[in-house]
Amino acid sequence: MSLNDPALGFFHQKSKVRVVSIALWCLVVFFAFLTGWAAVDAGSGTGGSAADRVPALPILQASTFVLGFGTMLIDFATAKVRGDLAGWAFLRLVGTLCLGLAAGWSASLIALREFPIWWLLMMVLSIAILCIPAGISRLLRHREREQLRVRSTFRPVPATVTNVQLVKEMDMLKHKVTVSFIDDAGRRRWHIVRTQHSGTPVKIGDACRVQFDPARLRRHSSIVVSFA
């Protein structure tokens, strides 16, 4: 059944959940923008505390961070439905909060005829942070397409497992497996792949198969290893 099937609950429909997630993150940026603007107004005034000068500041601050953490939890809980990685939720929280606050500070300082160079730099950095998930996702999709091309184009050659190590990556146990094979020019090459710890155990000396693009051997994605 498709994740977009109307028979599923609202929070199990990929397209709808994605729209809700994007809308919530935009609200976080908006509230952070208002908080940054209000903070500059409170800091530039005189007399009394910051809350006295801008009574809405504490409310905006509390609303921004409550909304931000709430959106992060929703993003985390719906990551599987949206086809995303749950770990990106915290990165988006940092990026959206910094982007909104920096934009609010910058806009308010520009209105006061000041040039907010440091806050503009933070805006650029925040945008870069928010682009990381999309960039890595695009890289992974390119790698998958490349491996599919190699599988469908080139014949497999015999290979041997020469080393197996248990490693921990992003709180997940994986096997770091080194395989050895002979390329079309008769040279012996070694290639490292990572397999799931819970999968079929791989031992040193096991036989496997390797498919590769002879013209792109320097690219990791142009070598595909099959253990079955």
Side-chain angles (χ1 to χ4, degrees):
M1 185 181 290
S2 168
L3 290 177
N4 290 310
D5 195 317
L8 295 173
F10 181 86
F11 282 100
H12 291 279
Q13 299 182 47
K14 183 176 181 178
S15 58
K16 293 182 179 179
V17 172
R18 181 174 292 175
V19 170
V20 170
S21 178
I22 293 173
L24 287 173
W25 285 121
C26 289
L27 278 176
V28 174
V29 174
F30 177 69
F31 272 85
F33 175 87
L34 294 179
T35 301
W37 184 289
V40 173
D41 287 346
S44 60
T46 58
S49 65
D52 293 332
R53 292 190 291 272
V54 182
L57 180 58
I59 299 175
L60 287 172
Q61 288 175 328
S63 300
T64 298
F65 287 99
V66 169
L67 178 63
F69 278 100
T71 303
M72 181 186 70
L73 293 177
I74 293 174
D75 193 90
F76 181 87
T78 60
K80 187 175 180 180
V81 176
R82 292 181 290 103
D84 197 10
L85 294 177
W88 294 133
F90 178 74
L91 194 68
R92 290 192 180 98
L93 175 64
V94 174
T96 52
L97 285 178
C98 291
L99 177 60
L101 290 171
W105 276 83
S106 298
S108 188
L109 289 173
I110 291 172
L112 294 173
R113 300 182 184 278
E114 298 181 26
F115 188 72
I117 182 170
W118 294 112
W119 295 107
L120 289 175
L121 290 176
M122 181 178 285
M123 286 177 58
V124 174
L125 179 61
S126 302
I127 293 172
I129 290 174
L130 292 172
C131 287
I132 290 176
I136 293 180
S137 178
R138 182 177 180 182
L139 181 64
L140 291 176
R141 288 196 300 270
H142 172 75
R143 181 179 178 182
E144 290 176 357
R145 289 195 299 268
E146 177 68 8
Q147 291 187 339
L148 181 61
R149 182 187 69 84
V150 172
R151 287 181 186 276
S152 61
T153 305
F154 301 95
R155 62 178 180 82
V157 299
T160 305
V161 176
T162 59
N163 191 27
V164 179
Q165 291 179 318
L166 188 63
V167 297
K168 190 174 184 180
E169 296 180 352
M170 297 182 67
D171 295 329
M172 294 180 60
L173 288 175
K174 293 185 178 182
H175 284 119
K176 183 179 178 181
V177 183
T178 303
V179 300
S180 173
F181 65 97
I182 305 298
D183 65 14
D184 290 354
R187 293 189 295 266
R188 180 167 295 279
R189 293 183 178 271
W190 289 265
H191 181 68
I192 297 176
V193 294
R194 286 165 173 77
T195 62
Q196 295 296 331
H197 176 57
S198 58
T200 304
V202 179
K203 304 182 296 296
I204 295 176
D206 284 356
C208 55
R209 298 184 306 168
V210 171
Q211 292 169 269
F212 59 91
D213 184 348
R216 300 182 178 182
L217 276 172
R218 293 182 179 273
R219 297 186 180 181
H220 191 275
S221 59
S222 295
I223 302 176
V224 180
V225 181
S226 302
F227 294 101

